[in-house]
Amino acid sequence: MLAKSNLQQPTEIQKASIGLALQGCDILGVAKTGSGKTLAFLIPMLECLFQDRWTAEDGLGVVIISPTRELAYQTFEVLYKIGKQHEFSAGLVIGRKDRVDITMPSARQSAGIFIAVGTSHGLNLLLQIKSTSFVVNKS
């Protein structure tokens, strides 16, 4: 999966963190932009879901809260790129003024969302919705 995405050599942050994350350790990492931090937590997350044989019947398995829309988009794009070989589905949850936009690949919409990536505002709005007043965007 990673080789197909042209990701063959782990970066320093990935070398230092992925093994520990797979052992169940909490990790706090600091590294420069572009150093591979996103993959350093996405790879162990996908592996844990895979090892636990997570299915649609299990429902939502992971919530990734991002401080900004831009970082949520970036995380979602990286997750989509490396997760193509898995059957997991992910949704990008972004809050707007009075609604929530949910973006997910159209081929996986019927499976529901296993992994939710979003801003705190978007995820909070989603939890508060009492009707189906959100929009699902196909990507």
Side-chain angles (χ1 to χ4, degrees), residues 27-46:
I27 306 218
L28 177 62
V30 178
K32 293 180 181 180
T33 299
S35 61
K37 294 181 299 291
T38 303
L39 281 175
F41 76 86
L42 289 179
I43 292 169
M45 177 204 68
L46 287 173

Side-chain angles (χ1 to χ4, degrees), residues 3-79:
K4 289 182 181 180
S5 298
N6 201 24
L7 301 167
Q8 298 176 4
Q9 295 297 321
T11 64
E12 292 302 314
I13 189 79
Q14 293 164 356
K15 288 177 193 175
S17 62
I18 291 175
L20 292 171
L22 289 170
Q23 294 173 30
C25 296
D26 292 333
I27 306 218
L28 177 62
V30 178
K32 293 180 181 180
T33 299
S35 61
K37 294 181 299 291
T38 303
L39 281 175
F41 76 86
L42 289 179
I43 292 169
M45 177 204 68
L46 287 173
E47 183 62 21
C48 286
L49 289 173
F50 179 75
Q51 291 296 323
D52 288 347
R53 293 183 167 82
W54 204 267
T55 67
E57 286 117 31
D58 296 315
L60 183 63
V62 176
V63 176
I64 300 170
I65 304 171
S66 296
T68 65
R69 287 181 187 170
E70 293 76 18
L71 188 55
Y73 284 119
Q74 174 198 328
T75 302
F76 183 74
E77 287 174 359
V78 172
L79 177 60

